[in-house]
Amino acid sequence: MIDLDAYPAQVLYRIVEFARAIQENPSCFLDACKGKIMATLFYEPSTRTQMSFQTAMLRLGGQFIGFDNPSNSSVSKGESLKDTIRVVSGYADIIVMRNPREGAAKAAALYSQVPVINAGDGGHLHPTQTLTDVVTLYNKKGRLDHLTIGLCGDLMHGRTVHSLIKTMSRFPKNRFVLISTSELSVPRYIKDIMDSHGAAYEEVYALEEAISDLDVLYMTRIQKERFPTEEAYRAQSGVFVLDAKKLKKAKADLSILHPLPRVDEIAVDVDEDPRADYFDQAEYGVFARMALIQLMLEHSARRIPVPIRGTHTLPCANQKCVTGSEPYIPKCYFESGDMLVCEYCEDRQLI
Ligand code: NCD
């Protein structure tokens, strides 16, 4: 699962319901993945995503192998992504991968013999965090539509933000309030996606201005590791901080989410507020991933063809695209309206 786009809304509802069934009756699933092995290949730091996947597999009776520090693996000897994936897919039944390169999960799926789950590809996407967010919203708000969703912080580099907007704009009458500095606003292609679904959005520059209108507030940290310099990061940090004072203006049934880790964007005085749902959200992530792993192992043949829509062979203009560091990957752009879109990282160029 590279992007939740591949799953129609009714499949998402099925996963959400399945996650709830698992949460209500975990003992029924103790042997669901007995004899199965999951590989977790983390080329970037992770606490929740990695540990929740591993917990999910252990709770399903399966086991896991993998690395969380590529310098301890053959990657440090110069092994290509293709070779690592080809080899590991001979050991495991499913691969979960996080990589700093945008489009890396899609590229890995080209060379894998088993299903690949995207656990974050650079600043591009993070679909299993979105699955976690969707399960949380369904449990806290009772619906996935007709929601006014505020997203605050680093909307430019935040992959959780991109995946969440992509998915939630598919449900009817969701409206987005995008709260960031002008430098960290959402990428153009995410705005195009909201437009293509007819989802309303507005960009605002102050949290105080927006908060009273929101059903959901999705806070994010400024993604330090994606900035070219420490100064560039410092110029953007500390701008948006949610605290108990600002919350006074919010609805009584607001749901406050955060993919975590938190740095300073939510003051600790918010943690005890009944609207603070971010620690529950991290817990729901285990049930969401238990549901996803089972469904993927049940429904995937051993070799899964990866659809490549691209018809234009061009080098990608995005410096962070996986095609830049793994030169053997077929470089493809597909046509979408008057744009050419990179198959892997969704970089857009005018035709
Ligand atoms: C997020 C990520 O890695 O993108 N964390 C997570 O997976 N829960 C958010 C972040 O690092 O800010």
Side-chain angles (χ1 to χ4, degrees):
M1 194 274 285
I2 308 306
D3 187 345
L4 284 182
D5 272 9
Y7 294 167
Q10 67 268 30
V11 174
L12 288 178
Y13 278 116
R14 239 182 81 211
I15 299 177
V16 166
E17 295 288 359
F18 190 28
R20 183 179 281 184
I22 296 168
Q23 182 173 8
E24 282 167 4
N25 267 310
S27 59
C28 295
F29 299 89
L30 290 176
D31 288 333
C33 289
K34 196 160 178 217
K36 299 289 183 190
I37 296 177
M38 175 180 74
T40 50
L41 309 184
F42 277 69
Y43 295 75
E44 268 193 342
S46 170
T47 304
R48 270 150 297 275
T49 305
Q50 183 182 207
M51 287 172 67
S52 66
F53 263 113
Q54 294 174 347
T55 305
M57 194 51 159
L58 293 173
R59 291 208 184 280
L60 293 169
Q63 289 170 291
F64 66 85
I65 56 172
F67 57 76
D68 58 11
N69 183 353
S71 56
N72 291 338
S73 78
S74 287
V75 175
S76 66
K77 300 180 190 168
E79 185 169 62
S80 67
L81 180 67
K82 174 182 176 174
D83 287 1
T84 305
I85 293 295
R86 178 67 183 82
V87 169
V88 173
S89 70
Y91 301 157
D93 301 287
I94 191 161
I95 293 176
V96 178
M97 187 183 81
R98 169 172 288 188
N99 190 288
R101 284 281 173 171
E102 300 188 5
K106 173 98 179 225
L110 293 178
Y111 304 109
S112 178
Q113 297 176 290
V114 300
V116 173
I117 298 179
N118 182 6
D121 57 334
H124 182 219
L125 296 175
H126 193 345
T128 69
Q129 180 62 48
T130 297
L131 208 54
T132 298
D133 302 340
V134 163
V135 167
T136 308
L137 286 175
Y138 196 64
N139 281 305
K140 297 288 180 184
K141 306 299 295 179
R143 64 185 196 277
L144 299 177
D145 46 38
H146 294 79
L147 293 168
T148 297
I149 304 168
L151 296 109
C152 179
D154 191 345
L155 310 188
M156 155 85 84
H157 305 106
R159 54 193 171 196
T160 63
V161 168
H162 307 157
S163 280
L164 186 63
I165 294 177
K166 273 182 108 176
T167 296
M168 294 307 285
S169 61
R170 289 159 54 196
F171 292 92
K173 299 275 183 228
N174 285 332
R175 189 165 79 82
F176 299 95
V177 182
L178 307 171
I179 310 155
S180 72
T181 61
S182 56
E183 291 84 359
L184 296 185
S185 65
V186 290
R188 180 71 249 169
Y189 83 92
I190 294 291
K191 292 180 183 168
D192 291 346
I193 288 169
M194 288 185 279
D195 287 337
S196 71
H197 290 290
Y201 67 88
E202 61 187 294
E203 294 185 281
V204 301
Y205 303 100
L207 184 50
E208 297 86 328
E209 215 179 279
I211 200 162
S212 58
D213 199 23
L214 306 177
D215 300 313
V216 178
L217 174 56
Y218 196 90
M219 295 297 296
T220 62
R221 82 183 160 92
I222 307 301
Q223 307 276 299
K224 187 175 183 184
E225 67 278 27
R226 314 264 178 241
F227 283 79
T229 61
E230 175 81 25
E231 290 73 52
Y233 163 70
R234 265 199 257 111
Q236 294 293 331
S237 62
V239 177
F240 298 103
V241 179
L242 177 67
D243 55 21
K245 186 163 168 253
K246 291 196 188 93
L247 258 185
K248 284 194 178 127
K249 288 196 195 158
K251 289 183 183 172
D253 64 349
L254 172 74
S255 181
I256 307 165
L257 303 186
H258 191 310
L260 302 178
R262 147 175 69 182
V263 181
D264 55 6
E265 57 283 347
I266 301 184
V268 286
D269 64 6
V270 175
D271 293 356
E272 303 314 317
D273 191 294
R275 294 168 287 189
D277 289 333
Y278 32 91
F279 292 118
D280 288 351
Q281 180 186 3
E283 244 178 274
Y284 286 129
V286 174
F287 304 112
R289 290 176 173 112
M290 286 171 82
L292 180 69
I293 292 168
Q294 285 183 81
L295 289 172
M296 287 189 69
L297 286 174
E298 267 168 34
H299 294 290
S300 300
R302 212 172 138 68
R303 227 176 226 290
I304 314 107
V306 178
I308 293 283
R309 291 159 288 179
T311 44
H312 296 251
T313 306
L314 289 177
C316 184
N318 173 9
Q319 306 263 311
K320 297 173 180 167
C321 181
V322 66
T323 53
S325 57
E326 308 284 331
Y328 50 86
I329 295 171
K331 293 166 188 61
C332 287
Y333 276 79
F334 62 88
E335 288 184 22
S336 171
D338 58 352
M339 304 294 269
L340 285 177
V341 181
C342 173
E343 191 69 60
Y344 306 94
C345 70
E346 297 184 79
D347 175 66
R348 274 151 201 246
Q349 299 183 17
L350 270 173
I351 292 178

